Amino acid sequence: MAAVLAWLALAGCSPHAPAAQAGKPEVALLTSLPIVFSEQFTLDAPANPLRQALEQEVRLVPVDGPEQLGPGQQLLAIQPQALTAERLVALDRWVRDGGRLVLLADPRLEWESSRSLGDKFRPPFEFPDTGLLAHWGLTLAAGEEGPAPARIGGTAVTVVSPGVFTARGQDCRVADGGLVATCRLGKGQAIVVADADWVLAGNGALDPGEAAKGYPALIGYLRLR
C-alpha cells in the first residue's frame, strides 16, 4: 500500500502526467527499489532515469502484491521484497491464468541503499526466493562478482555480479549464458533475468550511461506479446 499511496501523491503533483500516459500499455511495477519515488518518499527528488525511460513507452502502475493484478496484465518486478506463501501462490496462479511477468532477480545486488540494515523498506541484497523459481523448474546461483559485459535479449549491456540460471523440465529455457530464463507457464509467461544492476544507475551499480544501455532490452521484453 505504501508504494501505491506514494505514487498517487507524485501523480497529484503532476496534473499533466495522466494525459501524457494516455494510450500507452499499462505495466504494473512491483519493486523494493526507489524507481517511482525516492528512498525518503520525498517529492522533490530527481526523477529516476529508469522510470523516465519506461514511461516513454508504458504507463507504470505501482502495486504491492499479486492481489492487485488483473487478468492478462503485465507485471515488471525488480528485486521485490519477499512475498508471503499466499502471495507466491497467487502470483503463480496469476501467471498461469495468462499474466505476463518480467522479473529481475538479483542474487547479489550491488546497488547500495541509504536505508539501514534491518529497515523493512531496504531492498534485499539477495533475491528472496522462497520457492517460486524452483516451482517453475529454475535454479538461481551466484555468478562472478563485479561488472562484466554481457548480452541480454540481443542487446550489449553491463551486468554487475549477476547470477546464472539452470533449468529442469519443459517449462523454462535458459539463454544469454544463463542470464535469462523464459518460462511458458499455463496460459502465461515469465521472463526472469538474473541481475537487476544492469538497469540501475549510481549507488554502487552503474554510471547512468552504462545503465541506459540496458533500457531497450528491458522495454523490449515489455513489448513482447
Short mmCIF file of all heavy atoms in Angstrom, two decimals, residues 181-222:
data_model
loop_
_atom_site.label_atom_id
_atom_site.label_comp_id
_atom_site.label_asym_id
_atom_site.label_seq_id
_atom_site.Cartn_x
_atom_site.Cartn_y
_atom_site.Cartn_z
N ALA A 181 16.01 -16.52 -18.31
CA ALA A 181 15.17 -17.70 -18.42
C ALA A 181 13.79 -17.28 -18.89
O ALA A 181 13.22 -16.31 -18.37
CB ALA A 181 15.06 -18.43 -17.08
N THR A 182 13.26 -17.96 -19.89
CA THR A 182 11.92 -17.71 -20.38
C THR A 182 11.06 -18.93 -20.09
O THR A 182 11.40 -20.04 -20.52
CB THR A 182 11.93 -17.41 -21.89
OG1 THR A 182 12.76 -16.27 -22.15
CG2 THR A 182 10.51 -17.12 -22.39
N CYS A 183 9.99 -18.72 -19.36
CA CYS A 183 9.15 -19.83 -18.92
C CYS A 183 7.74 -19.67 -19.48
O CYS A 183 7.11 -18.61 -19.31
CB CYS A 183 9.08 -19.88 -17.40
SG CYS A 183 10.70 -20.02 -16.58
N ARG A 184 7.25 -20.71 -20.12
CA ARG A 184 5.85 -20.78 -20.55
C ARG A 184 5.09 -21.56 -19.50
O ARG A 184 5.34 -22.76 -19.29
CB ARG A 184 5.76 -21.48 -21.90
CG ARG A 184 6.49 -20.76 -23.02
CD ARG A 184 5.74 -19.51 -23.45
NE ARG A 184 6.40 -18.83 -24.58
CZ ARG A 184 5.94 -17.76 -25.19
NH1 ARG A 184 4.79 -17.23 -24.77
NH2 ARG A 184 6.59 -17.20 -26.17
N LEU A 185 4.19 -20.87 -18.82
CA LEU A 185 3.51 -21.45 -17.67
C LEU A 185 2.01 -21.33 -17.88
O LEU A 185 1.44 -20.25 -17.79
CB LEU A 185 3.92 -20.71 -16.40
CG LEU A 185 5.43 -20.70 -16.12
CD1 LEU A 185 5.79 -19.60 -15.15
CD2 LEU A 185 5.87 -22.06 -15.58
N GLY A 186 1.36 -22.44 -18.19
CA GLY A 186 -0.07 -22.40 -18.48
C GLY A 186 -0.35 -21.47 -19.65
O GLY A 186 0.24 -21.61 -20.72
N LYS A 187 -1.23 -20.50 -19.44
CA LYS A 187 -1.55 -19.52 -20.48
C LYS A 187 -0.63 -18.31 -20.46
O LYS A 187 -0.75 -17.43 -21.32
CB LYS A 187 -3.00 -19.05 -20.30
CG LYS A 187 -4.04 -20.15 -20.40
CD LYS A 187 -5.44 -19.61 -20.14
CE LYS A 187 -6.49 -20.69 -20.17
NZ LYS A 187 -7.85 -20.14 -19.86
N GLY A 188 0.27 -18.24 -19.48
CA GLY A 188 1.09 -17.05 -19.31
C GLY A 188 2.57 -17.29 -19.55
O GLY A 188 2.99 -18.36 -20.00
N GLN A 189 3.35 -16.27 -19.23
CA GLN A 189 4.78 -16.32 -19.49
C GLN A 189 5.53 -15.52 -18.42
O GLN A 189 5.06 -14.49 -17.95
CB GLN A 189 5.10 -15.73 -20.86
CG GLN A 189 6.59 -15.60 -21.17
CD GLN A 189 6.85 -15.01 -22.54
OE1 GLN A 189 6.91 -15.74 -23.53
NE2 GLN A 189 6.98 -13.70 -22.62
N ALA A 190 6.71 -16.03 -18.06
CA ALA A 190 7.60 -15.30 -17.16
C ALA A 190 8.98 -15.22 -17.80
O ALA A 190 9.52 -16.24 -18.25
CB ALA A 190 7.69 -16.00 -15.80
N ILE A 191 9.51 -14.02 -17.88
CA ILE A 191 10.89 -13.80 -18.31
C ILE A 191 11.66 -13.36 -17.07
O ILE A 191 11.31 -12.36 -16.43
CB ILE A 191 10.98 -12.72 -19.40
CG1 ILE A 191 10.22 -13.17 -20.65
CG2 ILE A 191 12.44 -12.43 -19.75
CD1 ILE A 191 10.13 -12.10 -21.72
N VAL A 192 12.68 -14.11 -16.72
CA VAL A 192 13.43 -13.85 -15.48
C VAL A 192 14.88 -13.57 -15.83
O VAL A 192 15.52 -14.35 -16.55
CB VAL A 192 13.34 -15.04 -14.51
CG1 VAL A 192 13.83 -14.63 -13.13
CG2 VAL A 192 11.91 -15.59 -14.42
N VAL A 193 15.41 -12.45 -15.34
CA VAL A 193 16.79 -12.04 -15.59
C VAL A 193 17.55 -12.11 -14.27
O VAL A 193 17.08 -11.59 -13.25
CB VAL A 193 16.86 -10.62 -16.17
CG1 VAL A 193 18.31 -10.24 -16.49
CG2 VAL A 193 16.01 -10.51 -17.43
N ALA A 194 18.73 -12.74 -14.29
CA ALA A 194 19.48 -12.99 -13.06
C ALA A 194 20.38 -11.82 -12.67
O ALA A 194 21.51 -12.01 -12.20
CB ALA A 194 20.32 -14.26 -13.23
N ASP A 195 19.87 -10.61 -12.83
CA ASP A 195 20.60 -9.41 -12.41
C ASP A 195 19.61 -8.26 -12.42
O ASP A 195 18.66 -8.25 -13.23
CB ASP A 195 21.76 -9.11 -13.36
CG ASP A 195 22.67 -8.00 -12.84
OD1 ASP A 195 23.08 -8.07 -11.66
OD2 ASP A 195 22.96 -7.05 -13.59
N ALA A 196 19.80 -7.30 -11.53
CA ALA A 196 19.00 -6.08 -11.54
C ALA A 196 19.87 -4.86 -11.77
O ALA A 196 19.40 -3.85 -12.28
CB ALA A 196 18.23 -5.92 -10.23
N ASP A 197 21.15 -4.97 -11.43
CA ASP A 197 22.04 -3.81 -11.53
C ASP A 197 22.23 -3.32 -12.97
O ASP A 197 22.64 -2.18 -13.17
CB ASP A 197 23.42 -4.16 -10.95
CG ASP A 197 23.38 -4.35 -9.44
OD1 ASP A 197 22.95 -3.41 -8.75
OD2 ASP A 197 23.78 -5.42 -8.96
N TRP A 198 21.94 -4.15 -13.96
CA TRP A 198 22.20 -3.77 -15.36
C TRP A 198 21.34 -2.60 -15.83
O TRP A 198 21.66 -1.97 -16.85
CB TRP A 198 22.01 -4.96 -16.29
CG TRP A 198 20.63 -5.54 -16.35
CD1 TRP A 198 19.99 -6.21 -15.37
CD2 TRP A 198 19.72 -5.52 -17.46
NE1 TRP A 198 18.74 -6.61 -15.78
CE2 TRP A 198 18.55 -6.22 -17.05
CE3 TRP A 198 19.79 -5.01 -18.75
CZ2 TRP A 198 17.45 -6.39 -17.89
CZ3 TRP A 198 18.69 -5.19 -19.60
CH2 TRP A 198 17.55 -5.87 -19.17
N VAL A 199 20.29 -2.24 -15.09
CA VAL A 199 19.48 -1.07 -15.45
C VAL A 199 19.42 -0.04 -14.32
O VAL A 199 18.60 0.87 -14.34
CB VAL A 199 18.04 -1.49 -15.85
CG1 VAL A 199 18.04 -2.21 -17.19
CG2 VAL A 199 17.39 -2.33 -14.76
N LEU A 200 20.31 -0.18 -13.33
CA LEU A 200 20.31 0.72 -12.18
C LEU A 200 21.54 1.62 -12.22
O LEU A 200 22.67 1.14 -12.37
CB LEU A 200 20.30 -0.07 -10.87
CG LEU A 200 19.11 -1.01 -10.68
CD1 LEU A 200 19.26 -1.77 -9.37
CD2 LEU A 200 17.79 -0.25 -10.71
N ALA A 201 21.32 2.92 -12.06
CA ALA A 201 22.41 3.89 -12.12
C ALA A 201 22.77 4.36 -10.71
O ALA A 201 21.91 4.57 -9.86
CB ALA A 201 22.01 5.09 -12.97
N GLY A 202 24.08 4.54 -10.49
CA GLY A 202 24.56 5.12 -9.25
C GLY A 202 24.50 4.18 -8.06
O GLY A 202 24.18 3.00 -8.18
N ASN A 203 24.87 4.69 -6.90
CA ASN A 203 24.81 3.95 -5.63
C ASN A 203 25.53 2.60 -5.70
O ASN A 203 25.04 1.59 -5.20
CB ASN A 203 23.35 3.73 -5.20
CG ASN A 203 22.67 5.00 -4.77
OD1 ASN A 203 22.71 6.00 -5.49
ND2 ASN A 203 22.05 5.00 -3.60
N GLY A 204 26.68 2.57 -6.35
CA GLY A 204 27.47 1.36 -6.40
C GLY A 204 27.16 0.46 -7.58
O GLY A 204 27.84 -0.56 -7.77
N ALA A 205 26.15 0.80 -8.36
CA ALA A 205 25.82 0.00 -9.54
C ALA A 205 26.57 0.58 -10.75
O ALA A 205 27.79 0.62 -10.77
CB ALA A 205 24.32 -0.03 -9.76
N LEU A 206 25.86 1.07 -11.75
CA LEU A 206 26.49 1.55 -12.98
C LEU A 206 26.38 3.06 -13.10
O LEU A 206 25.53 3.68 -12.46
CB LEU A 206 25.81 0.90 -14.19
CG LEU A 206 25.88 -0.62 -14.28
CD1 LEU A 206 25.03 -1.11 -15.45
CD2 LEU A 206 27.32 -1.10 -14.43
N ASP A 207 27.25 3.63 -13.94
CA ASP A 207 27.06 5.04 -14.24
C ASP A 207 25.85 5.16 -15.17
O ASP A 207 25.44 4.19 -15.81
CB ASP A 207 28.32 5.66 -14.86
CG ASP A 207 28.68 5.09 -16.22
OD1 ASP A 207 27.83 5.16 -17.14
OD2 ASP A 207 29.80 4.60 -16.39
N PRO A 208 25.22 6.33 -15.23
CA PRO A 208 23.97 6.47 -16.00
C PRO A 208 24.07 6.01 -17.44
O PRO A 208 23.12 5.41 -17.96
CB PRO A 208 23.67 7.97 -15.89
CG PRO A 208 24.29 8.38 -14.60
CD PRO A 208 25.56 7.57 -14.49
N GLY A 209 25.18 6.28 -18.10
CA GLY A 209 25.31 5.88 -19.49
C GLY A 209 25.31 4.37 -19.67
O GLY A 209 24.69 3.84 -20.60
N GLU A 210 26.00 3.67 -18.79
CA GLU A 210 26.04 2.21 -18.87
C GLU A 210 24.68 1.61 -18.56
O GLU A 210 24.23 0.68 -19.22
CB GLU A 210 27.10 1.65 -17.92
CG GLU A 210 28.53 1.83 -18.38
CD GLU A 210 28.80 1.10 -19.70
OE1 GLU A 210 28.49 -0.10 -19.80
OE2 GLU A 210 29.31 1.76 -20.61
N ALA A 211 24.00 2.14 -17.54
CA ALA A 211 22.68 1.63 -17.20
C ALA A 211 21.70 1.83 -18.35
O ALA A 211 20.87 0.96 -18.64
CB ALA A 211 22.17 2.31 -15.93
N ALA A 212 21.80 2.98 -19.01
CA ALA A 212 20.87 3.30 -20.10
C ALA A 212 21.00 2.32 -21.26
O ALA A 212 20.04 2.14 -22.02
CB ALA A 212 21.10 4.73 -20.58
N LYS A 213 22.14 1.68 -21.41
CA LYS A 213 22.30 0.70 -22.49
C LYS A 213 21.35 -0.48 -22.32
O LYS A 213 21.01 -1.16 -23.30
CB LYS A 213 23.75 0.20 -22.52
CG LYS A 213 24.77 1.24 -22.96
CD LYS A 213 26.18 0.67 -22.93
CE LYS A 213 27.21 1.71 -23.33
NZ LYS A 213 28.60 1.16 -23.26
N GLY A 214 20.93 -0.73 -21.09
CA GLY A 214 20.04 -1.86 -20.86
C GLY A 214 18.58 -1.55 -21.03
O GLY A 214 17.76 -2.48 -21.14
N TYR A 215 18.22 -0.27 -21.08
CA TYR A 215 16.80 0.08 -21.14
C TYR A 215 16.10 -0.51 -22.36
O TYR A 215 14.96 -1.00 -22.25
CB TYR A 215 16.62 1.60 -21.13
CG TYR A 215 17.12 2.30 -19.88
CD1 TYR A 215 17.28 3.69 -19.86
CD2 TYR A 215 17.44 1.60 -18.72
CE1 TYR A 215 17.74 4.35 -18.72
CE2 TYR A 215 17.92 2.24 -17.59
CZ TYR A 215 18.06 3.62 -17.59
OH TYR A 215 18.52 4.27 -16.48
N PRO A 216 16.70 -0.46 -23.58
CA PRO A 216 15.98 -1.02 -24.73
C PRO A 216 15.64 -2.50 -24.58
O PRO A 216 14.57 -2.93 -25.01
CB PRO A 216 16.96 -0.79 -25.90
CG PRO A 216 17.79 0.39 -25.47
CD PRO A 216 17.96 0.20 -23.99
N ALA A 217 16.54 -3.27 -23.98
CA ALA A 217 16.25 -4.70 -23.80
C ALA A 217 15.10 -4.90 -22.83
O ALA A 217 14.21 -5.73 -23.07
CB ALA A 217 17.50 -5.42 -23.31
N LEU A 218 15.11 -4.16 -21.74
CA LEU A 218 14.02 -4.29 -20.77
C LEU A 218 12.69 -3.86 -21.36
O LEU A 218 11.67 -4.56 -21.21
CB LEU A 218 14.34 -3.45 -19.52
CG LEU A 218 13.32 -3.53 -18.38
CD1 LEU A 218 13.13 -4.97 -17.91
CD2 LEU A 218 13.74 -2.64 -17.22
N ILE A 219 12.70 -2.75 -22.07
CA ILE A 219 11.47 -2.29 -22.73
C ILE A 219 11.03 -3.28 -23.79
O ILE A 219 9.83 -3.53 -23.98
CB ILE A 219 11.68 -0.89 -23.32
CG1 ILE A 219 11.86 0.14 -22.18
CG2 ILE A 219 10.52 -0.48 -24.23
CD1 ILE A 219 12.34 1.49 -22.64
N GLY A 220 11.98 -3.90 -24.47
CA GLY A 220 11.65 -4.90 -25.47
C GLY A 220 10.92 -6.10 -24.87
O GLY A 220 9.98 -6.62 -25.49
N TYR A 221 11.31 -6.52 -23.69
CA TYR A 221 10.60 -7.62 -23.03
C TYR A 221 9.15 -7.22 -22.72
O TYR A 221 8.24 -8.04 -22.80
CB TYR A 221 11.30 -8.00 -21.74
CG TYR A 221 12.58 -8.76 -21.92
CD1 TYR A 221 13.67 -8.54 -21.08
CD2 TYR A 221 12.72 -9.72 -22.92
CE1 TYR A 221 14.86 -9.26 -21.24
CE2 TYR A 221 13.90 -10.43 -23.09
CZ TYR A 221 14.97 -10.19 -22.24
OH TYR A 221 16.13 -10.89 -22.40
N LEU A 222 8.95 -5.95 -22.37
CA LEU A 222 7.59 -5.49 -22.05
C LEU A 222 6.74 -5.34 -23.30
O LEU A 222 5.51 -5.33 -23.21
CB LEU A 222 7.66 -4.16 -21.31
CG LEU A 222 8.36 -4.20 -19.94
CD1 LEU A 222 8.48 -2.80 -19.37
CD2 LEU A 222 7.62 -5.12 -18.98
#
